[in-house]
Amino acid sequence: MALTVAVQMDHVSSISIKGDSTFALSLEAQRRGHSLYHYTPERLSMRDGRATARAEPMVLREEEGNHFTLGPQERIDLADTDVVLLRQDPPFDMAYITSTHILERVHPKTLVVNDPAAVRNAPEKIFVTEFPDLMPDTLITKDPLEVAAFRAEFGEIVMKPLYGNGGAGVFHITKEDRNLTSFMETFALLFREPFIVQRYLSDVRKGDKRIILVDGEFAGAINRVPSETDARSNMHVGGRAEATELTEREREICARIGPALKERGLLFVGIDVIGDYLTEINVTSPTGIREVKRFGGADIASLLWDAIEARTGTGR
């Protein structure tokens, strides 16, 4: 049975289809005969308890620069759709949180992927702290004295915004670096929230592994190796993707967190692992599935739609 799928995303014109997971997921839905609607977060509304969006019918093509056609905009009631893909990029701010409250009004009758209440309650860099034995030494604070003491204890640290994404604002700070106070002052000016500080893991030079889980089960992985001139491994800042296999430790990590993801209705999750340590659990808008497939891994878009169709009773 064909489904009606609404995709809440950054505007489709702004994406690069080569590596965009939202495009891959939407293209697979279209391939299966499902109807797509496109809308951006600011066009989501709620009136009298009804969640609506001004959306356009969307048709996609695997043609860079000519990858979409949008039909006339119309106001749709999200309760009349079968699936909503919650796919706009962070930052995970109050606007993002508000959209989860609105989408919660239609879930689970309309299946929202991922569950909006679970997304709201599981920010990537905080959710991971529920598994302290799997993660590196971590401090969440805005207190400069605590940060200074943490660096004194571990020597090299990484400092980043608590609700950032894509590697933005990530700093590797050495024991001798005289910029720590300046970094903290700048972070305090830019962010009202605390920031996150972690013990630096030298294994990051070998790669920061992105592992995808679908409905709590391992689906695929890619290793992201930072360039010689950057501490970050994100591919849009110069990281290099390479094929990879899971280690025994990484299988242990997946087995430990999988049941928690499944219980929370987090169907599509990307975790980050450096060496033996879990550093983030990405639930808002995970990426990496096109790279996994490009390097010979599973078609994760297909696996996710199998899971969605099973949940909606339309599986083949």
Side-chain angles (χ1 to χ4, degrees):
M1 183 179 77
L3 300 173
T4 299
V5 180
V7 189
Q8 180 171 312
M9 62 185 294
D10 301 315
H11 199 278
V12 64
S13 64
S14 69
I15 66 176
S16 174
I17 67 173
K18 180 180 178 181
D20 193 87
S21 294
T22 302
F23 181 82
L25 295 173
S26 301
L27 194 66
E28 176 62 18
Q30 178 179 284
R31 190 188 69 78
R32 293 178 179 226
H34 304 320
S35 301
L36 296 175
Y37 278 92
H38 161 279
Y39 71 94
T40 51
E42 68 274 9
R43 291 196 263 127
L44 177 68
S45 302
M46 184 169 68
R47 179 174 177 179
D48 301 327
R50 307 288 292 182
T52 64
R54 286 187 295 106
E56 304 101 344
M58 179 169 66
V59 176
L60 300 175
R61 294 174 294 276
E62 191 77 81
E63 299 176 31
E64 187 70 63
N66 184 36
H67 58 275
F68 70 95
T69 298
L70 298 179
Q73 195 174 102
E74 57 187 275
R75 182 174 175 271
I76 63 171
D77 190 329
L78 294 180
D80 294 333
T81 66
D82 300 297
V83 178
V84 173
L85 296 182
L86 175 55
R87 290 294 305 171
Q88 84 261 23
D89 286 339
F92 188 76
D93 54 13
M94 288 307 299
Y96 208 118
I97 289 171
T98 300
S99 72
T100 67
H101 282 291
I102 295 174
L103 292 175
E104 199 175 1
R105 298 300 179 101
V106 300
H107 181 80
K109 178 181 179 295
T110 294
L111 178 65
V112 182
V113 180
N114 287 315
D115 181 316
V119 168
R120 185 172 65 247
N121 292 332
E124 354 269 37
K125 297 176 183 67
I126 294 180
F127 185 20
V128 68
T129 63
E130 295 189 22
F131 306 92
D133 59 314
L134 300 181
M135 63 185 300
D137 299 274
T138 297
L139 171 69
I140 296 174
T141 190
K142 210 172 184 178
D143 186 334
L145 294 180
E146 290 294 326
V147 177
F150 191 86
R151 182 174 68 162
E153 181 178 355
F154 295 106
E156 292 186 78
I157 60 174
V158 171
M159 191 166 76
K160 50 191 173 181
L162 187 58
Y163 297 112
N165 72 298
V170 176
F171 292 94
H172 171 206
I173 302 171
T174 64
K175 184 177 182 179
E176 298 80 17
D177 198 319
R178 294 185 176 89
N179 293 301
L180 178 60
T181 301
S182 180
F183 281 138
M184 287 189 287
E185 290 172 352
T186 302
F187 269 47
L189 289 172
L190 293 174
F191 310 109
R192 294 183 61 192
E193 303 83 13
F195 26 86
I196 184 167
V197 187
Q198 292 183 318
R199 174 169 59 89
Y200 175 71
L201 301 173
S202 60
D203 278 341
V204 73
R205 304 311 307 172
K206 302 175 186 175
D208 179 349
K209 197 171 291 189
R210 166 54 57 89
I211 301 172
I212 306 292
L213 295 96
V214 172
D215 203 12
E217 301 291 335
F218 168 72
I222 197 78
N223 196 34
R224 304 167 299 177
V225 182
S227 71
E228 288 299 320
T229 58
D230 206 314
R232 303 167 297 172
S233 59
N234 307 77
M235 286 177 284
H236 70 277
V237 296
R240 183 185 79 252
E242 62 180 24
T244 190
E245 299 289 338
L246 290 196
T247 65
E248 284 302 313
R249 170 63 167 176
E250 289 159 352
R251 292 188 184 279
E252 175 193 349
I253 290 171
C254 290
R256 282 280 307 283
I257 70 171
L261 304 180
K262 198 176 183 74
E263 178 185 351
R264 288 166 168 81
L266 296 168
L267 287 180
F268 182 36
V269 172
I271 66 172
D272 295 336
V273 177
I274 299 174
D276 288 335
Y277 295 98
L278 174 67
T279 60
E280 292 188 17
I281 302 176
N282 298 278
V283 304
T284 50
S285 184
T287 62
I289 67 175
R290 301 216 98 178
E291 288 78 11
V292 170
K293 187 177 180 181
R294 190 175 300 126
F295 281 86
D299 184 345
I300 296 174
S302 181
L303 294 177
L304 181 60
W305 276 103
D306 286 345
I308 291 171
E309 289 174 351
R311 291 287 182 97
T312 57
T314 58
R316 298 177 182 182

